[in-house]
Coordinates of all heavy atoms in Angstrom, one line a residue:
M981 N -17.4 -115.7 127.4 CA -17.5 -115.6 126.0 C -16.7 -114.4 125.4 O -16.4 -114.5 124.2 CB -19.0 -115.5 125.5 CG -19.7 -116.8 125.6 SD -19.2 -117.8 124.3 CE -20.3 -119.2 124.5
P982 N -16.5 -113.3 126.1 CA -15.8 -112.2 125.5 C -14.4 -112.5 125.1 O -13.9 -112.0 124.1 CB -15.8 -111.1 126.6 CG -16.8 -111.5 127.6 CD -17.0 -113.0 127.4
G983 N -13.7 -113.5 125.7 CA -12.3 -113.8 125.4 C -12.3 -114.7 124.2 O -11.2 -114.8 123.5
G984 N -13.3 -115.3 123.7 CA -13.3 -116.2 122.5 C -13.0 -115.4 121.2 O -12.3 -115.9 120.3
G985 N -13.4 -114.2 121.2 CA -13.2 -113.4 119.9 C -11.8 -113.0 119.8 O -11.2 -113.0 118.7
S986 N -11.1 -112.7 120.9 CA -9.7 -112.3 120.8 C -8.8 -113.5 120.4 O -7.8 -113.4 119.7 CB -9.2 -111.6 122.1 OG -9.1 -112.6 123.1
N987 N -9.2 -114.7 120.9 CA -8.4 -115.9 120.5 C -8.5 -116.2 119.0 O -7.5 -116.5 118.4 CB -8.8 -117.1 121.3 CG -8.4 -117.1 122.8 OD1 -7.5 -116.3 123.1 ND2 -9.1 -117.8 123.6
T988 N -9.7 -116.0 118.5 CA -9.8 -116.2 117.0 C -9.1 -115.2 116.2 O -8.4 -115.6 115.3 CB -11.4 -116.1 116.7 OG1 -12.1 -117.0 117.5 CG2 -11.6 -116.4 115.3
S989 N -9.1 -113.9 116.6 CA -8.3 -112.9 115.9 C -6.8 -113.1 116.0 O -6.1 -112.9 115.1 CB -8.7 -111.5 116.3 OG -8.4 -111.3 117.7
L990 N -6.4 -113.6 117.1 CA -5.0 -114.0 117.3 C -4.6 -115.1 116.4 O -3.5 -115.1 115.8 CB -4.7 -114.3 118.8 CG -3.2 -114.7 119.1 CD1 -2.3 -113.5 118.9 CD2 -3.1 -115.2 120.5
I991 N -5.4 -116.1 116.3 CA -5.1 -117.2 115.3 C -5.0 -116.7 113.9 O -4.1 -117.1 113.2 CB -6.2 -118.3 115.4 CG1 -6.1 -119.0 116.9 CG2 -6.1 -119.3 114.4 CD1 -7.2 -119.9 117.1
F992 N -5.9 -115.8 113.5 CA -5.9 -115.3 112.1 C -4.6 -114.4 111.9 O -4.0 -114.5 110.9 CB -7.1 -114.4 111.8 CG -8.3 -115.2 111.5 CD1 -9.4 -115.2 112.2 CD2 -8.3 -116.1 110.4 CE1 -10.5 -115.9 111.9 CE2 -9.4 -116.9 110.1 CZ -10.5 -116.8 110.9
L993 N -4.2 -113.7 113.0 CA -3.0 -112.9 112.8 C -1.7 -113.8 112.7 O -0.7 -113.5 112.0 CB -2.8 -112.0 114.0 CG -3.7 -110.7 114.1 CD1 -3.4 -110.0 115.4 CD2 -3.3 -109.8 112.9
L994 N -1.7 -114.9 113.3 CA -0.6 -115.8 113.2 C -0.7 -116.7 111.9 O 0.3 -117.1 111.4 CB -0.6 -116.8 114.4 CG -0.3 -116.2 115.8 CD1 -0.5 -117.2 116.9 CD2 1.0 -115.5 115.8
L995 N -1.9 -116.8 111.4 CA -2.1 -117.6 110.1 C -1.7 -116.8 108.9 O -1.3 -117.4 107.9 CB -3.5 -118.0 110.0 CG -3.9 -119.0 109.0 CD1 -3.2 -120.4 109.3 CD2 -5.4 -119.3 109.1
I996 N -1.7 -115.4 109.0 CA -1.5 -114.6 107.8 C 0.0 -114.9 107.3 O 0.1 -115.1 106.1 CB -1.8 -113.1 108.1 CG1 -3.2 -112.9 108.2 CG2 -1.1 -112.2 107.0 CD1 -3.6 -111.5 108.7
P997 N 1.0 -114.8 108.2 CA 2.4 -115.1 107.6 C 2.5 -116.5 106.9 O 3.2 -116.7 106.0 CB 3.3 -115.0 108.8 CG 2.5 -114.1 109.8 CD 1.1 -114.4 109.5
V998 N 1.8 -117.5 107.5 CA 1.9 -118.8 106.9 C 1.3 -118.9 105.6 O 1.9 -119.4 104.6 CB 1.2 -119.8 107.9 CG1 1.1 -121.2 107.2 CG2 2.0 -119.9 109.2
V999 N 0.1 -118.2 105.4 CA -0.6 -118.2 104.1 C 0.3 -117.4 103.1 O 0.5 -117.8 101.9 CB -1.9 -117.5 104.3 CG1 -2.6 -117.3 102.9 CG2 -2.8 -118.4 105.1
M1000 N 0.9 -116.3 103.6 CA 1.8 -115.5 102.7 C 3.0 -116.3 102.2 O 3.4 -116.3 101.0 CB 2.2 -114.2 103.4 CG 1.2 -113.1 103.4 SD 1.8 -111.7 104.2 CE 3.1 -111.2 103.1
Y1001 N 3.5 -117.1 103.1 CA 4.7 -118.0 102.7 C 4.3 -118.9 101.6 O 5.0 -119.1 100.6 CB 5.2 -118.7 103.9 CG 6.3 -119.7 103.6 CD1 7.6 -119.3 103.3 CD2 6.0 -121.0 103.5 CE1 8.6 -120.2 103.0 CE2 7.0 -122.0 103.1 CZ 8.3 -121.5 102.9 OH 9.3 -122.4 102.5
F1002 N 3.2 -119.7 101.8 CA 2.8 -120.7 100.8 C 2.3 -120.1 99.5 O 2.4 -120.8 98.5 CB 1.8 -121.6 101.4 CG 2.5 -122.7 102.3 CD1 2.4 -122.6 103.7 CD2 3.3 -123.7 101.8 CE1 3.0 -123.5 104.5 CE2 3.8 -124.6 102.6 CZ 3.7 -124.5 104.0
F1003 N 1.7 -118.9 99.5 CA 1.2 -118.4 98.3 C 2.0 -117.3 97.6 O 1.9 -117.0 96.4 CB -0.2 -117.7 98.5 CG -1.3 -118.8 98.6 CD1 -1.8 -119.0 99.9 CD2 -1.8 -119.4 97.6 CE1 -2.8 -120.0 100.1 CE2 -2.8 -120.4 97.8 CZ -3.2 -120.7 99.0
M1004 N 3.0 -116.8 98.3 CA 3.9 -115.7 97.6 C 5.3 -116.1 97.6 O 6.0 -116.1 96.7 CB 3.7 -114.4 98.4 CG 2.2 -113.9 98.2 SD 2.0 -112.4 99.1 CE 2.9 -111.2 98.1
I1005 N 5.9 -116.4 98.8 CA 7.4 -116.5 98.9 C 7.8 -117.9 98.4 O 8.8 -117.9 97.6 CB 7.7 -116.4 100.5 CG1 7.4 -115.0 100.9 CG2 9.2 -116.7 100.6 CD1 7.5 -114.8 102.4
R1006 N 7.1 -119.0 98.7 CA 7.6 -120.3 98.3 C 7.6 -120.4 96.7 O 8.5 -120.9 96.2 CB 6.7 -121.3 98.9 CG 7.2 -122.7 98.7 CD 6.5 -123.7 99.7 NE 7.0 -125.0 99.4 CZ 6.3 -126.0 99.0 NH1 5.0 -125.9 98.9 NH2 6.8 -127.2 98.9
P1007 N 6.5 -120.0 96.0 CA 6.5 -120.1 94.6 C 7.6 -119.3 93.9 O 8.2 -119.7 93.0 CB 5.1 -119.5 94.2 CG 4.3 -119.8 95.4 CD 5.2 -119.6 96.5
Q1008 N 7.9 -118.1 94.5 CA 9.0 -117.3 94.0 C 10.3 -117.9 94.1 O 11.2 -117.9 93.3 CB 8.9 -115.9 94.7 CG 9.9 -114.9 94.1 CD 9.8 -113.6 94.7 OE1 9.3 -113.4 95.8 NE2 10.4 -112.6 94.1
Q1009 N 10.5 -118.5 95.3 CA 11.8 -119.3 95.5 C 11.9 -120.4 94.6 O 13.0 -120.8 94.1 CB 11.9 -119.8 97.0 CG 12.1 -118.7 98.0 CD 12.0 -119.2 99.4 OE1 11.5 -120.2 99.7 NE2 12.7 -118.5 100.3
K1010 N 10.9 -121.1 94.3 CA 10.8 -122.2 93.4 C 11.2 -121.7 92.0 O 11.9 -122.4 91.2 CB 9.4 -122.9 93.3 CG 9.4 -124.2 92.5 CD 8.0 -124.8 92.5 CE 7.9 -125.9 91.5 NZ 6.6 -126.5 91.5
Q1011 N 10.6 -120.7 91.5 CA 10.9 -120.1 90.3 C 12.3 -119.7 90.1 O 12.9 -119.9 89.1 CB 9.9 -118.9 90.0 CG 10.0 -118.3 88.6 CD 9.1 -117.1 88.4 OE1 8.9 -116.4 89.4 NE2 8.6 -116.9 87.2
M1012 N 12.9 -119.1 91.1 CA 14.3 -118.7 91.1 C 15.2 -119.9 91.1 O 16.2 -119.9 90.3 CB 14.6 -117.9 92.4 CG 14.0 -116.4 92.4 SD 14.3 -115.6 93.9 CE 16.0 -115.6 94.1
K1013 N 14.8 -121.0 91.7 CA 15.6 -122.3 91.7 C 15.6 -122.8 90.2 O 16.6 -123.1 89.7 CB 15.0 -123.2 92.7 CG 15.8 -124.5 92.7 CD 15.2 -125.5 93.6 CE 15.9 -126.8 93.5 NZ 15.3 -127.8 94.4
E1014 N 14.4 -122.8 89.6 CA 14.3 -123.3 88.2 C 15.1 -122.4 87.3 O 15.7 -123.0 86.3 CB 12.8 -123.3 87.8 CG 12.0 -124.5 88.5 CD 10.5 -124.3 88.3 OE1 10.1 -123.3 87.6 OE2 9.8 -125.2 88.7
R1015 N 15.0 -121.2 87.4 CA 15.8 -120.2 86.6 C 17.3 -120.4 86.7 O 18.0 -120.4 85.7 CB 15.4 -118.8 87.0 CG 15.8 -117.8 86.0 CD 14.8 -117.0 85.6 NE 15.2 -116.1 84.5 CZ 14.6 -114.9 84.3 NH1 13.6 -114.5 85.0 NH2 15.1 -114.2 83.4
K1016 N 17.7 -120.6 87.9 CA 19.2 -120.9 88.1 C 19.6 -122.3 87.5 O 20.7 -122.3 86.9 CB 19.5 -120.9 89.7 CG 21.0 -121.2 90.0 CD 21.3 -121.2 91.4 CE 22.7 -121.4 91.8 NZ 23.6 -122.0 90.9
E1017 N 18.7 -123.3 87.6 CA 19.1 -124.6 86.9 C 19.1 -124.4 85.5 O 20.0 -125.0 84.8 CB 18.0 -125.6 87.3 CG 18.1 -126.1 88.8 CD 16.9 -127.0 89.2 OE1 16.0 -127.2 88.4 OE2 17.0 -127.4 90.3
L1018 N 18.2 -123.6 84.9 CA 18.2 -123.4 83.4 C 19.5 -122.6 83.1 O 20.2 -123.0 82.1 CB 17.1 -122.5 83.0 CG 17.1 -122.0 81.5 CD1 16.9 -123.2 80.5 CD2 16.0 -121.0 81.3
N1019 N 19.9 -121.6 83.8 CA 21.1 -120.9 83.6 C 22.3 -121.7 83.6 O 23.2 -121.6 82.9 CB 21.2 -119.7 84.6 CG 22.1 -118.6 84.1 OD1 23.0 -118.9 83.4 ND2 21.9 -117.4 84.6
D1020 N 22.4 -122.6 84.6 CA 23.5 -123.6 84.6 C 23.5 -124.6 83.5 O 24.6 -125.1 83.2 CB 23.5 -124.3 86.0 CG 23.8 -123.3 87.2 OD1 24.3 -122.2 87.0 OD2 23.4 -123.7 88.3
S1021 N 22.4 -124.9 82.9 CA 22.4 -125.9 81.9 C 22.4 -125.4 80.5 O 22.4 -126.2 79.5 CB 21.1 -126.8 82.1 OG 19.9 -125.9 81.7
L1022 N 22.6 -124.1 80.3 CA 22.7 -123.6 79.0 C 23.9 -124.1 78.3 O 25.0 -124.2 78.9 CB 22.7 -122.0 79.1 CG 21.5 -121.3 79.6 CD1 21.8 -119.8 79.7 CD2 20.3 -121.5 78.6
K1023 N 23.8 -124.4 77.0 CA 24.9 -124.8 76.2 C 24.6 -124.4 74.7 O 23.6 -124.1 74.3 CB 25.1 -126.4 76.3 CG 23.9 -127.1 75.9 CD 24.2 -128.6 76.2 CE 23.0 -129.5 75.8 NZ 22.1 -129.6 76.9
E1024 N 25.7 -124.5 74.0 CA 25.7 -124.1 72.6 C 24.7 -125.0 71.8 O 24.6 -126.2 72.1 CB 27.0 -124.1 72.0 CG 27.9 -123.0 72.5 CD 29.4 -123.1 71.8 OE1 29.5 -123.7 70.8 OE2 30.2 -122.4 72.4
G1025 N 23.9 -124.4 70.9 CA 23.0 -125.2 70.1 C 21.6 -125.2 70.6 O 20.6 -125.5 70.0
M1026 N 21.4 -124.8 71.9 CA 20.0 -124.7 72.5 C 19.3 -123.5 71.9 O 19.8 -122.5 71.6 CB 20.1 -124.5 74.0 CG 20.5 -125.7 74.8 SD 20.6 -125.3 76.5 CE 18.8 -125.2 76.9
E1027 N 18.0 -123.8 71.6 CA 17.1 -122.7 71.1 C 16.4 -122.2 72.3 O 15.7 -122.9 73.1 CB 16.1 -123.3 70.1 CG 15.5 -122.1 69.3 CD 14.9 -122.7 68.0 OE1 14.2 -123.7 68.1 OE2 15.0 -122.0 67.0
V1028 N 16.5 -120.9 72.6 CA 16.0 -120.2 73.8 C 15.2 -119.0 73.5 O 15.2 -118.5 72.4 CB 17.1 -119.9 74.7 CG1 17.9 -121.1 75.3 CG2 18.1 -118.9 74.1
V1029 N 14.4 -118.6 74.5 CA 13.7 -117.3 74.4 C 14.1 -116.5 75.5 O 14.2 -116.9 76.6 CB 12.1 -117.6 74.4 CG1 11.7 -118.3 75.7 CG2 11.4 -116.3 74.2
T1030 N 14.3 -115.1 75.2 CA 14.7 -114.2 76.3 C 13.5 -113.6 77.0 O 12.4 -113.9 76.5 CB 15.5 -113.1 75.7 OG1 14.7 -112.3 74.8 CG2 16.7 -113.6 74.9
T1031 N 13.7 -112.9 78.1 CA 12.6 -112.3 78.8 C 11.9 -111.3 78.0 O 10.7 -111.0 78.3 CB 13.2 -111.7 80.1 OG1 14.2 -110.7 79.7 CG2 13.7 -112.6 81.1
S1032 N 12.6 -110.7 77.0 CA 11.9 -109.7 76.1 C 11.2 -110.4 74.9 O 10.6 -109.8 74.1 CB 12.8 -108.7 75.6 OG 13.8 -109.3 74.9
G1033 N 11.2 -111.8 74.8 CA 10.6 -112.5 73.8 C 11.3 -112.8 72.5 O 10.8 -113.3 71.5
I1034 N 12.6 -112.5 72.6 CA 13.5 -112.8 71.4 C 13.9 -114.3 71.4 O 14.3 -114.9 72.4 CB 14.8 -112.0 71.4 CG1 14.4 -110.5 71.3 CG2 15.7 -112.3 70.3 CD1 15.5 -109.6 71.5
I1035 N 13.6 -114.9 70.2 CA 14.0 -116.3 70.1 C 15.2 -116.6 69.3 O 15.4 -115.9 68.3 CB 12.8 -117.1 69.4 CG1 11.5 -117.0 70.2 CG2 13.1 -118.6 69.2 CD1 10.3 -117.4 69.5
G1036 N 16.1 -117.3 69.8 CA 17.4 -117.5 69.1 C 18.1 -118.8 69.5 O 17.8 -119.4 70.5
R1037 N 19.1 -119.2 68.7 CA 20.0 -120.3 69.0 C 21.3 -119.9 69.6 O 21.9 -119.0 69.0 CB 20.1 -121.2 67.7 CG 20.9 -122.5 68.0 CD 21.0 -123.3 66.8 NE 19.7 -123.6 66.1 CZ 18.8 -124.5 66.4 NH1 19.1 -125.3 67.4 NH2 17.7 -124.6 65.8
I1038 N 21.7 -120.5 70.7 CA 22.9 -120.1 71.3 C 24.1 -120.6 70.4 O 24.2 -121.8 70.2 CB 23.1 -120.7 72.7 CG1 22.0 -120.2 73.6 CG2 24.4 -120.3 73.3 CD1 21.9 -120.8 75.0
T1039 N 25.0 -119.6 70.0 CA 26.1 -120.0 69.2 C 27.4 -119.9 70.0 O 28.4 -120.6 69.7 CB 26.2 -119.2 68.0 OG1 26.3 -117.8 68.4 CG2 25.1 -119.3 67.1
K1040 N 27.4 -119.1 71.1 CA 28.6 -119.0 71.9 C 28.1 -118.6 73.3 O 27.2 -117.8 73.5 CB 29.5 -117.9 71.4 CG 30.8 -117.8 72.1 CD 31.7 -116.7 71.5 CE 33.0 -116.6 72.3 NZ 33.9 -115.6 71.8
I1041 N 28.8 -119.1 74.3 CA 28.3 -118.8 75.7 C 29.6 -118.7 76.6 O 30.5 -119.5 76.5 CB 27.3 -119.9 76.3 CG1 26.6 -119.4 77.5 CG2 28.0 -121.2 76.4 CD1 25.4 -120.1 77.8
D1042 N 29.5 -117.7 77.5 CA 30.6 -117.6 78.5 C 30.0 -117.4 79.9 O 28.8 -117.7 80.1 CB 31.6 -116.6 78.2 CG 31.1 -115.2 78.0 OD1 30.1 -114.9 78.7 OD2 31.6 -114.4 77.2
D1043 N 30.8 -117.0 80.8 CA 30.3 -116.9 82.2 C 29.1 -115.9 82.3 O 28.2 -116.1 83.1 CB 31.4 -116.4 83.1 CG 32.4 -117.5 83.3 OD1 32.1 -118.7 83.0 OD2 33.6 -117.2 83.7
K1044 N 29.2 -114.8 81.7 CA 28.1 -113.7 81.8 C 27.2 -113.5 80.7 O 26.2 -112.9 80.8 CB 28.9 -112.4 82.2 CG 29.6 -112.5 83.5 CD 30.1 -111.1 83.8 CE 30.9 -111.3 85.2 NZ 31.4 -110.0 85.6
A1045 N 27.6 -113.9 79.5 CA 26.8 -113.5 78.3 C 26.7 -114.7 77.3 O 27.4 -115.7 77.4 CB 27.5 -112.4 77.5
A1046 N 25.8 -114.6 76.4 CA 25.6 -115.6 75.4 C 25.4 -114.9 74.0 O 24.8 -113.8 74.0 CB 24.4 -116.5 75.7
R1047 N 25.8 -115.5 73.0 CA 25.5 -114.9 71.7 C 24.4 -115.8 71.0 O 24.5 -117.0 71.0 CB 26.8 -115.0 70.8 CG 26.6 -114.2 69.5 CD 27.8 -114.1 68.7 NE 28.3 -115.4 68.3 CZ 29.4 -115.7 67.6 NH1 30.1 -114.7 67.2 NH2 29.7 -116.9 67.2
L1048 N 23.3 -115.1 70.6 CA 22.2 -115.7 70.0 C 22.2 -115.5 68.5 O 22.3 -114.3 68.1 CB 20.9 -115.3 70.6 CG 20.7 -115.5 72.1 CD1 19.3 -114.9 72.5 CD2 20.8 -116.9 72.5
M1049 N 21.9 -116.5 67.7 CA 21.7 -116.3 66.3 C 20.2 -116.2 66.1 O 19.5 -117.2 66.3 CB 22.3 -117.5 65.5 CG 22.1 -117.3 64.0 SD 22.9 -118.5 62.9 CE 22.0 -120.0 63.4
V1050 N 19.7 -115.1 65.7 CA 18.2 -114.9 65.5 C 17.8 -115.0 64.1 O 16.6 -115.2 63.8 CB 17.8 -113.5 66.1 CG1 17.9 -113.6 67.7 CG2 18.5 -112.4 65.6
D1051 N 18.8 -114.9 63.2 CA 18.5 -115.1 61.7 C 19.9 -115.5 61.1 O 20.8 -115.7 61.9 CB 18.1 -113.7 61.1 CG 17.4 -113.9 59.8 OD1 16.9 -115.0 59.5 OD2 17.4 -113.0 59.0
E1052 N 19.9 -115.8 59.9 CA 21.1 -116.3 59.2 C 22.4 -115.5 59.6 O 23.4 -116.1 59.9 CB 21.0 -116.4 57.7 CG 20.2 -117.6 57.3 CD 20.2 -117.7 55.8 OE1 21.2 -117.4 55.1 OE2 19.2 -118.1 55.2
K1053 N 22.4 -114.3 59.4 CA 23.5 -113.4 59.7 C 23.4 -112.4 60.8 O 24.1 -111.4 60.9 CB 24.0 -112.8 58.5 CG 24.5 -113.7 57.4 CD 24.9 -113.0 56.1 CE 25.3 -114.0 55.0 NZ 25.7 -113.3 53.8
T1054 N 22.4 -112.6 61.6 CA 22.0 -111.7 62.7 C 22.3 -112.3 64.1 O 21.7 -113.4 64.4 CB 20.6 -111.3 62.6 OG1 20.3 -110.8 61.3 CG2 20.3 -110.1 63.6
F1055 N 23.2 -111.7 64.9 CA 23.6 -112.2 66.1 C 23.3 -111.1 67.2 O 23.5 -110.0 66.9 CB 25.0 -112.6 66.1 CG 25.3 -113.8 65.2 CD1 25.7 -113.5 63.9 CD2 25.3 -115.1 65.7 CE1 26.0 -114.6 63.0 CE2 25.6 -116.1 64.9 CZ 25.9 -115.9 63.5
L1056 N 22.9 -111.6 68.4 CA 22.7 -110.7 69.5 C 23.5 -111.2 70.6 O 23.5 -112.4 70.9 CB 21.2 -110.6 69.9 CG 20.2 -110.0 68.9 CD1 18.8 -110.2 69.4 CD2 20.5 -108.6 68.6
R1057 N 24.0 -110.3 71.4 CA 24.7 -110.7 72.6 C 23.8 -110.3 73.7 O 23.5 -109.2 74.0 CB 26.0 -109.9 72.8 CG 26.9 -110.5 73.8 CD 28.4 -110.0 73.6 NE 29.2 -110.6 74.6 CZ 30.0 -109.8 75.5 NH1 29.9 -108.5 75.4 NH2 30.6 -110.4 76.5
V1058 N 23.5 -111.3 74.6 CA 22.5 -111.0 75.8 C 23.2 -111.6 77.0 O 24.1 -112.5 77.0 CB 21.2 -111.7 75.5 CG1 20.5 -111.1 74.3 CG2 21.3 -113.2 75.4
T1059 N 22.8 -111.1 78.1 CA 23.2 -111.7 79.4 C 22.6 -113.0 79.6 O 21.5 -113.3 79.2 CB 22.9 -110.8 80.6 OG1 21.6 -110.6 80.7 CG2 23.6 -109.4 80.4
R1060 N 23.3 -113.9 80.4 CA 22.7 -115.2 80.6 C 21.4 -115.1 81.5 O 20.5 -115.9 81.3 CB 23.6 -116.0 81.4 CG 24.9 -116.5 80.6 CD 25.9 -117.3 81.4 NE 25.3 -118.6 81.8 CZ 25.9 -119.7 81.7 NH1 27.2 -119.7 81.2 NH2 25.4 -120.9 82.0
Q1061 N 21.3 -114.1 82.3 CA 20.1 -113.9 83.2 C 18.9 -113.5 82.3 O 17.7 -113.6 82.8 CB 20.4 -112.8 84.3 CG 21.3 -113.3 85.4 CD 22.8 -113.2 84.9 OE1 23.1 -112.5 84.0 NE2 23.6 -114.0 85.6
S1062 N 19.1 -112.9 81.1 CA 18.0 -112.5 80.3 C 17.3 -113.6 79.6 O 16.3 -113.5 78.9 CB 18.4 -111.4 79.3 OG 19.3 -111.9 78.4
I1063 N 17.9 -114.9 79.6 CA 17.4 -116.0 79.0 C 16.3 -116.6 79.9 O 16.6 -117.0 81.0 CB 18.4 -117.1 78.6 CG1 19.4 -116.4 77.6 CG2 17.8 -118.3 78.1 CD1 20.6 -117.3 77.3
A1064 N 15.1 -116.6 79.4 CA 13.9 -117.0 80.3 C 13.7 -118.5 80.3 O 13.3 -119.1 81.2 CB 12.7 -116.3 79.9
A1065 N 13.8 -119.1 79.1 CA 13.4 -120.5 78.9 C 13.9 -121.1 77.7 O 14.3 -120.4 76.7 CB 11.9 -120.7 79.0
E1066 N 13.9 -122.5 77.6 CA 14.3 -123.1 76.4 C 13.1 -123.1 75.5 O 11.9 -123.3 76.0 CB 14.6 -124.6 76.7 CG 15.2 -125.3 75.5 CD 15.7 -126.7 75.8 OE1 15.7 -127.2 77.0 OE2 16.2 -127.4 74.9
Y1067 N 13.3 -122.7 74.2 CA 12.2 -122.6 73.3 C 11.8 -124.0 72.7 O 12.7 -124.7 72.2 CB 12.5 -121.6 72.2 CG 11.4 -121.4 71.2 CD1 10.2 -120.7 71.6 CD2 11.5 -121.9 69.9 CE1 9.2 -120.5 70.6 CE2 10.4 -121.7 69.0 CZ 9.3 -121.0 69.4 OH 8.3 -120.7 68.5
K1068 N 10.5 -124.3 72.8 CA 10.1 -125.6 72.2 C 9.0 -125.3 71.3 O 7.8 -125.4 71.6 CB 9.6 -126.5 73.4 CG 10.7 -126.8 74.3 CD 10.2 -127.7 75.5 CE 11.2 -127.7 76.5 NZ 12.0 -128.8 76.8
G1069 N 9.3 -124.8 70.1 CA 8.3 -124.4 69.2 C 8.3 -125.2 67.9 O 7.6 -125.7 67.3

């Protein structure tokens, strides 16, 4: 019976990386994939929200940056990576 305890602890030590993968690493990879798909699908006219919470409509977009119209005559230039999601408000 003394060997049974060490087998159980060995199983738990091997199980920890598997649990970490499914609860930490995999969801983060999924989120990064979704963010890349959004970044690739950005186009003029889309209403988006940035990571800092600014809502605006894309008026111009290039490889690294986008210009957002946040009010009638107010424009902001932001990086494409700072756009968090399409705004559905």
